[in-house]
Amino acid sequence: MSSASIKIQVQTEDFDHAIEYQNLTENQQSAGAVVTFTGLVRDMNLDNQVTGLYLEHYPVMTEKSLMDIAQQANQRWQLGKITIIHRVGSLALGDQIVFVGVTSKHRKSAFESCEFLIDFLKTSAPFWKKETSKDKDYWIEARSEDSTAAKKWG
Amino acid sequence: MKVVFFGQLKEILGVSQLENVGPFENVALLRAELQKTDENWQQSLSSERCLVAVNHVLSDDSCELTGDEEVAFFPPVTGG
């Protein structure tokens, strides 16, 4: 098994999609495909005066679980590069929250592995969202659709 | 061992970590002991609504413990 070049970052700062795309495609002459996914903060409608989100995480385990997910993806698809960036702390509606990018020889493995990475991130990486509004904050409940999505990978 | 709590569970219990807990032979025994605290802990730590990680790896009640571990309890994750 060839080992992919893996980059994992958990940070409060925003990320630049163009720079991450450039980093992914740099020195990747054998890569025929790059697929990226960017997740945004959306209004979960738990309160009509939503101001944004607060993202809590479990330091150390967060990085460890993201690395584990990336290595699993590389075992299944043999990827060139994998980048996972997840933001934590206070975020506003519309802010970028997560970036997943992969390079691979072919499009199918690039599409599939990118979907695999975000599906597993959503069900196994220790992040918790709290929706913040003017008067009260609400913890977001885990969605059964997310665990169904992760289970389809077997 | 050290026990840590995250997310809504941390707020419900009103504590983020406990030092010098145990030792207990496995996660099930640790969980059962913590649940004796009161009705709130009993309910909040019940297995369906509460995940566990041992030394930063997702685990379960059967996981054996030696006493040096960091055990974390938290609600289903909601990142991404």
Side-chain angles (χ1 to χ4, degrees), chain A residues 56-58 60-61 64 86 97-98 121-130 139-142, chain B residues 4-8 10-11 51 53 55-58 70-72 74-80:
Chain A
E56 180 173 313
H57 76 124
Y58 181 6
V60 182
M61 181 174 171
K64 204 167 172 171
H86 205 299
I97 180 169
V98 61
L121 182 156
K122 286 183 90 80
T123 52
S124 62
F127 294 99
W128 299 274
K129 289 193 186 104
K130 188 188 224 185
W139 287 97
I140 305 290
E141 295 282 336
Chain B
V4 293
F5 305 99
F6 289 95
Q8 189 169 22
K10 179 177 72 180
E11 282 187 2
L51 303 181
N55 289 338
H56 308 109
V57 177
L58 269 180
E70 177 170 306
V71 181
F74 45 78
V77 300
T78 55

Side-chain angles (χ1 to χ4, degrees), chain B residues 16-46:
Chain B
S16 61
Q17 67 177 63
L18 302 170
E19 303 274 358
N20 302 317
V21 179
F24 295 97
E25 278 177 37
N26 57 47
V27 169
L29 292 170
L30 164 65
R31 190 199 293 265
E33 186 61 29
L34 293 173
Q35 284 183 299
K36 287 180 188 167
T37 310
D38 63 25
E39 184 59 30
N40 189 21
W41 285 63
Q42 170 67 37
Q43 214 174 8
S44 306
L45 290 171
S46 71

Side-chain angles (χ1 to χ4, degrees), chain A residues 20-109:
Chain A
E20 297 310 326
Y21 180 90
Q22 197 179 353
N23 290 339
L24 276 168
T25 52
E26 222 165 46
N27 303 318
Q28 288 285 287
Q29 284 81 2
S30 63
V34 51
V35 169
T36 68
F37 168 82
T38 307
L40 307 176
V41 176
R42 69 185 171 93
D43 187 345
M44 305 290 282
N45 295 311
L46 295 181
D47 191 288
N48 54 15
Q49 291 190 305
V50 175
T51 53
L53 276 187
Y54 179 78
L55 248 294
E56 180 173 313
H57 76 124
Y58 181 6
V60 182
M61 181 174 171
T62 317
E63 290 81 359
K64 204 167 172 171
S65 65
L66 294 178
M67 182 56 81
D68 181 57
I69 295 165
Q71 282 166 346
Q72 282 185 50
N74 187 51
Q75 277 178 10
R76 289 177 78 132
W77 287 282
Q78 299 219 344
L79 304 168
K81 285 190 186 177
I82 303 172
T83 298
I84 305 176
I85 302 173
H86 205 299
R87 295 179 67 195
V88 293
S90 295
L91 300 174
L93 291 176
D95 277 0
Q96 302 187 113
I97 180 169
V98 61
F99 177 91
V100 177
V102 296
T103 67
S104 179
K105 277 187 186 162
H106 306 290
R107 71 182 182 282
K108 190 168 161 50
S109 50

Side-chain angles (χ1 to χ4, degrees), chain B residues 46-75:
Chain B
S46 71
S47 344
E48 322 90 78
R49 57 174 69 189
C50 175
L51 303 181
V52 61
V54 176
N55 289 338
H56 308 109
V57 177
L58 269 180
S59 190
D60 59 39
D61 272 359
S62 66
C63 181
E64 290 184 11
L65 303 171
T66 63
D68 298 327
E69 293 85 358
E70 177 170 306
V71 181
F73 291 99
F74 45 78

